[in-house]
Amino acid sequence: MTQMSIQPTVVTFTNLISGLCRIGKVGPALQLKNKMLKWNCRPDVVSYSVIIDTLCKGGLVDQALVLFSEMLRDSNVVPHVIVYSSLINGLCNSGRLNEAKRAFDEMVSRGISADVTTYSCMIDGLCRHGQWDEARRYFYKMMVRGISPNTVTFNILTDSHCKDGMIEDAWGLFKQMDKLNIKPNQITYSSMINGLCLAGRLKDAVHLFDSMVDRGLKPNVISCNILIDGGLYGVGRMKTAKNLFKKMQTFGLSPDIVTYHTILDGYCKNGRIEEAIQLFESMEGIGISADVEMYNILIQGLTQTGKLEDARKLFIEIPKKGLMRSVGFLAGKDIDKALQFLRKMRECEFAPSDSVICLLVNTLFADSLKRRICMVPDAAGIRDVGNKPSSSQKLPVYFKLHFLCLHEKP
């Protein structure tokens, strides 16, 4: 265009800025905006809005505020609700709730009416930071002003209440959706099912899952995973969980790696290690590659059932699969289980490999244990160090010294 002396317009620039922002090139988008005056064009509210939204979504809220201030100083640009919503959302996501409230109030003082998106952003930020009273105030203010909440608004409130154990409040919101003729979606149901499972109301969770199907709303992998993970295994309801696993496939859903994690964990926790191994071995046939976490689950299950030889073989197999060798209770800093694992290996006359010991010691270092009496592996097994380090001593150094003394070769 420029080579042919065709004058670009503000629409040309805005389209190019939008395209750059969509692929994450916010720097070039800003440079292009700054060059608009060279072509006798001025950025409009859409140009500013697109860049501000991209900056906020990328966590660059301070840069977004600078650009927002520049926009307000331009008398030719009239801000609208979309740009305020982007800014409020960015501030809320960054935990800067007071600034978000000020931006909301400033918007209203300029005569710009908040829409459902603006209110939903404020409610989401307040819920995620536990400011329930404020969240309800914005929700009711929204209703009073005749702005109907949508499914997204209710999903935010329902999910937050469920995660904070306020299941009755969440259930009330779920019922209110029907009264307002707002249809719940898969996210709504998943949040409610998760909340009911967390509250131990497994029968209600299963009933709600079935009602979702009855309404013609197809469950997704997430909702199935939640129900399987939410307690079915915890109370030993293996048959029900297995049926749900099979039911997923009747809905045309392929169990994902999260599903397999959950089912393997359930088998192991219920002492059904043979079924866990069968499931683990069947995964390759359907194209799901085991990850370290799956190995962790099985190794723990095998260890707890006394199958130390199988656990050792599985541990040795990990690097052959191109995975970083790790044991879950080591990576998870559950030192008691890690020490128990090493003890059992000794009892069964299996010498723990250097990598196992090193992983344990590194875990102890990283976790900066606050124990006073320390356990370290030595040639005879696991023993108490006995000496109690003073509060001024750094435990990682303390562990390292003992480790070097016990394992350093001449």
Side-chain angles (χ1 to χ4, degrees):
M1 286 177 70
T2 56
Q3 287 172 1
M4 296 173 67
S5 300
I6 297 173
Q7 175 68 32
T9 65
V10 66
V11 175
T12 315
F13 278 103
T14 301
N15 285 337
L16 190 50
I17 286 168
S18 298
L20 288 165
C21 286
R22 266 198 302 274
I23 60 172
K25 294 188 178 293
V26 70
L30 276 166
Q31 290 172 7
L32 192 63
K33 178 201 73 70
N34 294 334
K35 289 179 181 178
M36 288 177 71
L37 288 176
K38 178 183 174 182
W39 299 98
N40 297 318
C41 287
R42 300 186 69 86
D44 62 6
V45 68
V46 179
S47 310
Y48 279 108
S49 182
V50 168
I51 300 174
I52 288 169
D53 185 59
T54 306
L55 288 168
C56 285
K57 285 177 178 174
L60 303 171
V61 182
D62 288 323
Q63 290 88 328
L65 286 167
V66 170
L67 191 60
F68 183 73
S69 298
E70 179 188 314
M71 182 190 73
L72 294 181
R73 290 194 299 270
D74 191 336
S75 58
N76 294 308
V77 179
V78 179
H80 54 38
V81 66
I82 296 171
V83 70
Y84 270 103
S85 295
S86 295
L87 194 62
I88 288 166
N89 189 47
L91 288 165
C92 285
N93 287 337
S94 300
R96 297 159 69 168
L97 298 180
N98 290 332
E99 292 175 77
K101 291 175 190 176
R102 283 198 295 271
F104 189 96
D105 294 339
E106 180 190 304
M107 178 185 67
V108 174
S109 69
R110 287 178 178 272
I112 302 168
S113 298
D115 62 10
V116 63
T117 303
T118 326
Y119 276 105
S120 296
C121 290
M122 277 301 311
I123 291 166
D124 181 47
L126 292 164
C127 284
R128 280 191 287 109
H129 290 84
Q131 296 190 22
W132 297 108
D133 291 338
E134 277 289 279
R136 291 189 193 97
R137 188 173 71 83
Y138 276 92
F139 180 73
Y140 292 124
K141 186 194 290 187
M142 169 184 188
M143 300 278 282
V144 167
R145 293 188 176 178
I147 300 167
S148 179
N150 58 18
T151 305
V152 174
T153 318
F154 275 102
N155 285 350
I156 290 165
L157 285 163
T158 303
D159 187 60
S160 298
H161 280 77
C162 285
K163 284 177 179 173
D164 276 43
M166 303 164 71
I167 190 64
E168 291 305 325
D169 290 328
W171 189 252
L173 288 162
F174 187 76
K175 293 292 185 185
Q176 192 174 355
M177 292 180 76
D178 272 337
K179 293 177 185 176
L180 296 172
N181 200 28
I182 298 170
K183 292 183 178 180
N185 60 16
Q186 291 169 329
I187 296 171
T188 325
Y189 275 99
S190 294
S191 295
M192 280 304 308
I193 290 167
N194 187 44
L196 289 165
C197 287
L198 290 172
R201 293 167 58 175
L202 304 179
K203 188 180 286 186
D204 291 333
V206 174
H207 178 72
L208 191 62
F209 181 87
D210 292 336
S211 73
M212 172 174 62
V213 178
D214 293 339
R215 282 193 176 196
L217 196 61
K218 183 180 174 181
N220 57 16
V221 176
I222 295 170
S223 52
C224 292
N225 287 349
I226 288 169
L227 192 55
I228 292 171
D229 189 45
L232 294 181
Y233 284 117
V235 292
R237 295 175 63 186
M238 298 294 298
K239 187 176 178 181
T240 309
K242 285 174 72 175
N243 288 338
L244 183 61
F245 180 67
K246 291 175 183 176
K247 203 172 187 179
M248 287 178 71
Q249 296 165 55
T250 66
F251 291 124
L253 300 172
S254 298
D256 61 7
I257 198 163
V258 178
T259 319
Y260 279 97
H261 281 167
T262 307
I263 294 170
L264 279 173
D265 191 47
Y267 277 136
C268 290
K269 283 181 178 174
N270 284 274
R272 298 168 74 162
I273 194 67
E274 295 302 327
E275 289 173 86
I277 292 168
Q278 287 173 16
L279 184 69
F280 183 79
E281 291 173 346
S282 72
M283 284 166 43
E284 284 191 7
I286 56 172
I288 293 182
S289 299
D291 60 9
V292 174
E293 188 176 343
M294 286 185 179
Y295 278 97
N296 291 340
I297 291 166
L298 269 182
I299 289 169
Q300 288 189 61
L302 289 164
T303 304
Q304 287 164 2
T305 53
K307 298 180 182 292
L308 269 295
E309 169 64 12
D310 292 330
R312 187 181 67 84
K313 285 179 181 177
L314 205 60
F315 185 81
I316 292 168
E317 187 182 311
I318 296 173
K320 295 177 183 176
K321 298 286 185 180
L323 301 171
M324 182 180 290
R325 184 144 53 182
S326 167
V327 181
F329 43 76
L330 298 183
K333 299 179 179 59
D334 191 337
I335 305 304
D336 289 331
K337 285 185 180 178
L339 293 170
Q340 184 183 20
F341 177 68
L342 290 176
R343 283 194 190 98
K344 285 187 176 181
M345 288 183 78
R346 283 291 182 193
E347 288 168 9
C348 295
E349 298 182 353
F350 294 127
S353 65
D354 289 341
S355 60
V356 177
I357 294 173
C358 288
L359 184 58
L360 174 59
V361 174
N362 286 336
T363 304
L364 295 172
F365 294 167
D367 198 36
S368 296
L369 289 177
K370 295 179 180 177
R371 294 185 178 188
R372 291 290 181 169
I373 299 178
C374 309
M375 305 283 285
V376 296
D378 66 7
I382 307 299
R383 69 178 181 83
D384 286 342
V385 171
N387 296 327
K388 296 184 180 183
S390 67
S391 59
S392 63
Q393 286 180 289
K394 292 185 177 179
L395 283 172
V397 176
Y398 182 73
F399 274 107
K400 194 166 186 178
L401 286 170
H402 280 283
F403 181 79
L404 291 172
C405 290
L406 290 167
H407 297 279
E408 189 71 18
K409 294 179 181 179

